[in-house]
Amino acid sequence: MMIFRQLFDPESSTYTYLLADEKTHEGVIIDPVREHAERDVMLINQLGIKLKSIIETHVHADHITAANIIKTKTGAQTAVAMDCAASGYDRMLVDGDKIQFGNEIIQVVATPGHTLGSMSLLWRDRVFTGDTLLIGGCGRADFQNGDASALYKSITQKLFTLPDDTLVYPGHDYNRRRVSTIGEEKQTNPRLAGKSEVDFIAIMANLNLPKPRRIDENVPANKAGGAH
């Protein structure tokens, strides 16, 4: 059995995930948002979870992480990919690393492209894709050492090789869709379904998205693990 919660920040449309082993009550939290640190800690306490790890799928540009706040409240270890070059974390993760909590294991899958240090987290029948693969889309690749070619390879050669019924839990959804599957995204994602790498790079080059409003504040704060 497992404990699983999907939490939402409407300001940045960010999903935060809380997972725990029901037997030992050891758990992890993925991509917590500063403004909801109190909510998240309250839920951790209500569920009797002994938090072991606070994991960032990448260094975010659109919100500040609650990692350091939750670390202070729970004593959990903070973790981010080594390629994020973020100094404010306890553990630097690389492809293939395992994160244990109770009898459960999360496997780290390096999925660079949105940012150099983006990673996905594979757990049981589901994968937490951060901003690499979104429902009907993907993260942009035009800042923080993003690379559309690398993103295409991460999605098609790593994520799309998972079983089709693998549940996809993204880092964001601006329409509050909660979950998809690898099979659905392979068949229906407009940026990827039937698209070659050349097609994909052209699509990504023509998104013309505005710069994230608080990127200059958020990225340095997140490299340091967020506010205390």
Side-chain angles (χ1 to χ4, degrees):
M1 296 294 290
M2 63 182 176
I3 296 168
F4 174 66
R5 297 289 187 276
Q6 183 183 41
L7 307 163
F8 190 66
D9 169 45
E11 177 67 25
S12 63
S13 296
T14 299
Y15 282 121
T16 296
Y17 298 96
L18 180 64
L19 333 173
D21 177 357
E22 198 163 66
K23 190 170 184 181
T24 66
H25 275 245
E26 289 187 352
V28 305
I29 195 166
I30 299 168
D31 290 340
V33 176
R34 177 182 62 180
E35 286 78 6
H36 299 290
E38 190 174 321
R39 172 201 70 185
D40 296 349
V41 170
M42 191 179 300
L43 181 59
I44 288 162
N45 292 335
Q46 282 174 353
L47 294 172
I49 292 171
K50 299 184 283 262
L51 200 69
K52 304 296 288 184
S53 296
I54 305 153
I55 312 165
E56 300 295 331
T57 55
H58 61 295
V59 171
H60 306 276
D62 56 358
H63 69 271
I64 292 177
T65 176
N68 277 333
I69 300 172
I70 295 175
K71 175 184 174 178
T72 300
K73 303 277 189 184
T74 65
Q77 184 183 63
T78 57
V80 73
M82 184 175 289
D83 284 343
C84 288
S87 58
Y89 294 82
D90 299 314
R91 185 177 176 188
M92 298 287 119
L93 299 165
V94 298
D95 189 52
D97 274 354
K98 291 180 169 50
I99 301 162
Q100 186 155 5
F101 54 106
N103 300 306
E104 301 288 340
I105 290 176
I106 287 172
Q107 183 173 328
V108 173
V109 182
T111 50
H114 169 62
T115 70
L116 182 61
S118 288
M119 64 182 182
S120 299
L121 303 166
L122 186 59
W123 178 56
R124 291 193 173 204
D125 62 348
R126 59 202 63 191
V127 62
F128 303 95
T129 54
D131 287 19
T132 299
L133 178 63
L134 305 176
I135 298 173
C138 61
R140 61 198 291 179
D142 59 343
F143 56 71
Q144 286 180 267
N145 298 309
D147 182 323
S149 175
L151 181 57
Y152 183 83
K153 290 180 174 71
S154 290
I155 296 171
T156 60
Q157 296 177 16
K158 290 194 170 184
L159 297 178
F160 280 1
T161 62
L162 296 171
D164 281 355
D165 59 356
T166 304
L167 298 172
V168 173
Y169 283 99
H172 298 278
D173 193 87
Y174 303 99
N175 298 299
R176 298 191 72 155
R177 294 166 296 189
R178 294 182 54 251
V179 61
S180 182
T181 67
I182 290 295
E184 286 174 54
E185 294 309 313
K186 280 159 74 171
Q187 291 173 10
T188 67
N189 191 306
R191 293 189 189 169
L192 294 150
K195 301 294 194 296
S196 68
E197 183 175 340
V198 172
D199 296 334
F200 180 80
I201 291 169
I203 290 167
M204 298 303 288
N206 289 286
L207 293 179
N208 297 317
L209 296 170
K211 180 179 172 182
R213 189 164 46 91
R214 291 163 52 193
I215 185 172
D216 295 330
E217 169 194 354
N218 293 350
V219 168
N222 287 331
K223 285 195 168 189
H228 287 271

